[in-house]
Amino acid sequence: MAPKAKFILFCLIVLAGPGALMSLDDPQLVDLGRLALILSPGIAGVILNAGLGNRGVGIHWGVVGGAALVTLTIAGIALGVSLAAGTSVFGDAARAPAAAASALAATALTSVLEELGWAGGGLALAVAAFGRRMGVAILGLVWAAWHLIPTFLKVGLFPELEAAPPGMWVAFVVACVIYRELLTQCVEASGTWLAAAAGHAAPNILFTGFVASGLVPLERPDEWPLFPAPGGLAFPALALAAVLMLRRRTSRAAA
């Protein structure tokens, strides 16, 4: 199968299949669609690529940890700005310890499963089909669509996006393209998709932990520019700064 045909098939599996199930009236099929949404990128990416990307490349484990540190810094600054502005507030009751632990474990697992598909097989498929730069940008757009389909169907997976105005959706798409480039640079520098998994999971775990402690990350939808995650403006701006810094460092090392 031609590379572009493989990538198109990947997109159909991860977007059309789960979306069709979540659009139905049967709650059990909607739940099945949610599960398919989480699992399909990893399964389709690995099968269609006959494994993971970066095969035969030595792994730099320090970069894997560094990826988590970079994205935690981005998320921490964005959250600090949002808290200082009053967009994010601690207003909900804290969850019980067991519920909080369950939410943290689920967030970590789903983040890793996402990147198994996006940064593993999916990245290799996109680059083979469109080249490095265009492939990563297109993969970022598909990643954004993967989030927005359940958002438009209002199945409860991304409640802040469901309540958001159109401007936040546009900002979210831009953020996904930038964030995917950042995670891809981490994959390339480390030699493993696990760098993207670490970079993706770390801020998700941070936010989940704060939400479990009573954080309301977006008290008013009209204050979306200060939402402390993709969809706001601070997070993608900081991610873009990190992309440019890493690119400059790579250029200097190659010189």
Side-chain angles (χ1 to χ4, degrees):
M1 186 183 298
K4 287 185 179 179
K6 281 188 177 182
F7 185 74
I8 291 171
L9 180 57
F10 172 78
C11 294
L12 289 174
I13 292 171
V14 303
L15 299 179
L21 288 170
M22 288 185 291
S23 68
L24 300 175
D25 293 330
D26 189 332
Q28 291 184 330
L29 291 177
V30 171
D31 287 341
L32 181 60
R34 291 173 179 169
L35 181 62
L37 188 80
I38 294 168
L39 297 180
S40 59
I43 294 173
V46 171
I47 291 177
L48 289 172
N49 190 55
L52 299 172
N54 301 93
R55 286 169 288 195
V57 177
I59 295 176
H60 301 284
W61 292 107
V63 179
V64 175
L69 182 61
V70 168
T71 54
L72 273 177
T73 301
I74 291 169
I77 295 173
L79 180 57
V81 170
S82 186
L83 287 168
T87 302
S88 297
V89 297
F90 283 92
D92 283 351
R95 296 185 187 180
S102 177
L104 289 168
T107 296
L109 178 61
T110 54
S111 298
V112 172
L113 288 175
E114 271 194 63
E115 292 306 326
L116 175 63
W118 303 116
L123 176 61
L125 291 170
V127 172
F130 301 104
R132 162 61 173 83
R133 181 170 297 181
M134 185 64 69
V136 173
I138 291 173
L139 188 67
L141 292 173
V142 175
W143 189 33
W146 182 87
H147 288 86
L148 290 178
I149 287 173
T151 295
F152 296 152
L153 294 173
K154 296 187 181 298
V155 297
L157 280 177
F158 308 110
E160 289 85 10
L161 284 174
E162 288 182 8
M168 186 171 172
W169 297 337
V170 174
F172 181 81
V173 172
V174 173
C176 282
V177 174
I178 296 171
Y179 199 8
R180 180 51 49 196
E181 172 62 30
L182 175 60
L183 294 176
T184 298
Q185 288 188 8
C186 293
V187 171
E188 292 169 341
S190 67
T192 174
W193 68 275
L194 291 171
H200 189 159
N204 283 5
I205 292 170
L206 176 71
F207 284 126
T208 300
F210 276 114
V211 169
S213 300
L215 177 72
V216 180
L218 185 60
E219 191 174 32
R220 289 164 47 92
D222 61 341
E223 296 176 337
W224 65 266
L226 290 173
F227 180 59
L233 299 182
F235 192 101
L238 292 165
L240 179 59
V243 164
L244 296 176
M245 289 176 62
L246 290 174
R247 186 172 293 171
R248 181 178 299 177
R249 181 180 297 179
T250 301
S251 298
R252 286 179 178 174

